[in-house]
Amino acid sequence: MQPRSLGMALLGAAAALGLSGTASAQMELPPGPGRDIVANSCNSCHEVERIRAGYTPEGWRTVMTMMHNFGVRIAPDDLPVVTAYLAQHFPERPRPPAAIISGPVQATIRTWPVSTPGSRPHDPMAARDGSVWWTGQLANTLGRLDPATGQAREYPLNPYTGPHGLVEDRDGNVWFTGNFAALIGRLDPRTGEVTEYRIDNPEVPDPHTLLIARDGIVWFTAQRGNTLGRLDPATGQMRLVTSPTANSRPYGMALDSKGEIWFVEFGVNRIATIDRQTMAIREFMLPDAGARPRRLAIGPDDMIWYTDHARGFLGRLDPRTGEVKEWQSPSGPRSQPYGIVFTQGAVWYSESAAAPNTMVRFDPATERFQTWAIPGGGDIVRNMDVAPNGNPVMAHSLANWVGMVDIRGPQ
C-alpha cells in the first residue's frame, strides 16, 4: 500500500480523535510564549478552538507527543514551550468526582507503560496465550505484552495507518483496522509480515471496530462511513452495507452465544444486529432520544449490555422483547461510561470522565455496583477485552498504558 499524503492522514487522525472540522484561526488566543506556534500549527488539521477541551499538564505533554508522532510540524525545541502555554491557558475542565463503592469482590488493577511515548493505545486484545495486545494508533504500531514478565514488543505498520480495533484469529494472526488508511490488516506475529486489504470506497475512510465470526469472516464497523463491512480472508472479497439510519455512526461490536453480530450506533439512540448472509440490518431503538451507546458486551443469556456515553448510564437490551432497562452510573451523568465486558458473572466497564477514572462492576443478580479507582487516574479506557483466565484487560489512551484487572473473588 502506498501511504496517503500527510495532509490526508492528519485529517483522518483529527477525525478519529474527535477534532475534525473546518480549520479556523478566528479564536483569540491569550498572549504568551508559544501563542504564535499554536495559532499557526494547531489549526493545520482541526479547528484551533478544539484546544478549549483542556488537559492537565501531563495530559498536554502526552497530547503533544501524540501530535508530534503523527507529523505535526513543530520543532522539538518548541514542544516544551507550546505544552507550557497550553497547560497554563487551557487547563483541564472540571470532572465529576469518582464514586468509590465498596462491595463483595476483591480486585487489583495492574498497569504497564506502552513502549513508545504518545502511542495512544486504543484497543486492547487478550490473546489465547495470555499476552495482552494493543493498537498504537498514533505510533502506527501493534504491541504485545507478556504480563508474567513485563516484556513488550512492538510491530511496525505502514506510516499513517492509525490502527484502531484488533482481534485474534484461530491461527494466531492479529487482525486490525487501519482507521486513518481505509484498510483491514493482518499481522503474522511469527514473522512480523503484514497483509493489507484496502476498502475500495472513498465514502468509507475509517474502519473502526472488528470481530471474527465463527466461520472466519471478518466483520467491521466504519463510523464516519456509516457502514458495516465483511471481509472473506480466503478470497479477499469485501462487501459493504450502509446503515439504514443516516449518521448513525456504527461503533462497538460483539458476538452473542449463537454467533450473531450485534453493534451499537453511537450517533443515534439505537442498537442493531446484521444478518450474516443477507447483510440486512435490524435496529432496536432505545427509549431516551439522548442515549448514545458507545460499546457493548453480551452476557451468557444473550442480554445486550451497553455503555451510554452521553447520559452516564449502563443499559441492558433484551433482544427477544426489545425491553430496555437502565441504571445511572455511580459517578453520575457526566461520567462517560466507555469500555465494557461481561466476565465472571458480572458487567465490568470504565467511567472515562470521572476523576480519577474508575473500573465499575455491576452484578445483574443484585443490581448493585462496586467501583475501584484506576491507578494514576486511568485516562480513558476506550475498549476492553477478557483474558483466558476471565480477567478484564484494558488500554489507557491518554496515560499510554495497558492494564489488567486481577479478580480474586468475594471477600
Side-chain angles (χ1 to χ4, degrees), residues 51-410:
I51 64 177
R52 292 187 190 277
Y55 294 99
T56 64
E58 182 60 32
W60 274 119
R61 282 190 287 273
T62 300
V63 168
M64 292 309 300
T65 303
M66 290 177 186
M67 296 299 98
H68 195 259
N69 285 350
F70 224 76
V72 174
R73 294 185 176 94
I74 298 176
D77 290 346
D78 290 332
L79 282 174
V81 176
V82 172
T83 303
Y85 174 86
L86 292 169
Q88 177 184 352
H89 296 291
F90 301 95
E92 182 180 68
R93 292 184 176 183
R95 294 161 59 181
I100 304 303
I101 303 172
S102 62
V105 172
Q106 291 182 315
T108 302
I109 299 172
R110 290 187 288 162
T111 60
W112 296 266
V114 168
S115 308
T116 301
S119 289
R120 196 177 194 248
H122 202 288
D123 277 22
M125 185 195 78
R128 291 191 300 273
D129 65 2
S131 62
V132 177
W133 287 74
W134 72 89
T135 47
Q137 190 177 36
L138 294 188
N140 293 299
T141 61
L142 301 184
R144 177 188 184 275
L145 169 79
D146 182 344
T149 65
Q151 288 188 310
R153 176 184 175 184
E154 290 185 321
Y155 296 80
L157 306 176
N158 274 330
Y160 313 128
T161 296
H164 190 288
L166 76 171
V167 66
E168 182 183 33
D169 70 17
R170 61 173 65 100
D171 297 321
N173 298 306
V174 177
W175 290 80
F176 61 93
T177 51
N179 191 233
F180 305 160
L183 63 84
I184 307 299
R186 182 184 66 202
L187 167 73
D188 183 341
R190 296 168 288 272
T191 65
E193 180 182 0
V194 175
T195 304
E196 297 176 338
Y197 302 84
R198 296 298 305 272
I199 299 174
D200 190 21
N201 185 334
E203 301 299 318
V204 186
D206 63 329
H208 190 275
T209 301
L210 78 169
L211 55 76
I212 299 177
R214 292 177 180 174
D215 57 5
I217 299 296
V218 178
W219 291 82
F220 60 92
T221 58
Q223 188 179 187
R224 283 188 296 142
N226 205 41
T227 295
L228 274 291
R230 71 187 301 274
L231 167 67
D232 185 343
T235 65
Q237 182 182 18
M238 190 177 294
R239 293 172 58 193
L240 304 172
V241 62
T242 301
S243 169
T245 300
N247 302 314
S248 65
R249 298 173 65 184
Y251 206 90
M253 306 179 78
L255 290 169
D256 68 15
S257 66
K258 299 181 290 295
E260 301 302 324
I261 298 164
W262 291 83
F263 62 97
V264 292
E265 296 179 332
F266 182 44
V268 292
N269 60 327
R270 289 176 171 84
I271 293 174
T273 184
I274 184 167
D275 186 283
R276 289 178 286 113
Q277 302 303 319
T278 66
M279 297 188 73
I281 293 172
R282 180 188 178 194
E283 296 177 312
F284 294 76
M285 185 176 295
L286 303 179
D288 194 296
R292 292 297 180 269
R294 197 157 193 176
R295 293 285 185 184
L296 77 165
I298 303 179
D301 58 359
D302 283 339
M303 290 290 187
I304 312 295
W305 296 87
Y306 62 91
T307 48
D308 185 341
H309 189 264
R311 298 168 57 240
F313 276 86
L314 171 68
R316 185 187 67 196
L317 166 70
D318 184 337
R320 296 177 291 272
T321 66
E323 180 185 6
V324 173
K325 188 170 183 178
E326 296 181 324
W327 296 263
Q328 181 77 71
S329 197
S331 299
R334 297 189 297 115
S335 59
Q336 295 184 357
Y338 208 155
I340 182 172
V341 291
F342 195 104
T343 183
Q344 300 199 30
V347 181
W348 294 76
Y349 69 93
S350 66
E351 291 179 320
S352 66
N357 286 185
T358 64
M359 183 56 52
V360 182
R361 178 184 184 270
F362 180 79
D363 185 340
T366 63
E367 298 190 8
R368 297 190 61 138
F369 287 99
Q370 184 175 352
T371 65
W372 294 261
I374 296 178
D379 273 328
I380 310 181
V381 175
R382 301 176 183 276
N383 202 2
M384 296 169 63
D385 200 3
V386 179
N389 61 6
N391 285 335
V393 300
M394 3 173 219
H396 306 252
S397 290
L398 192 59
N400 217 51
W401 302 334
V402 290
M404 177 179 290
V405 181
D406 293 316
I407 304 172
R408 297 192 301 276

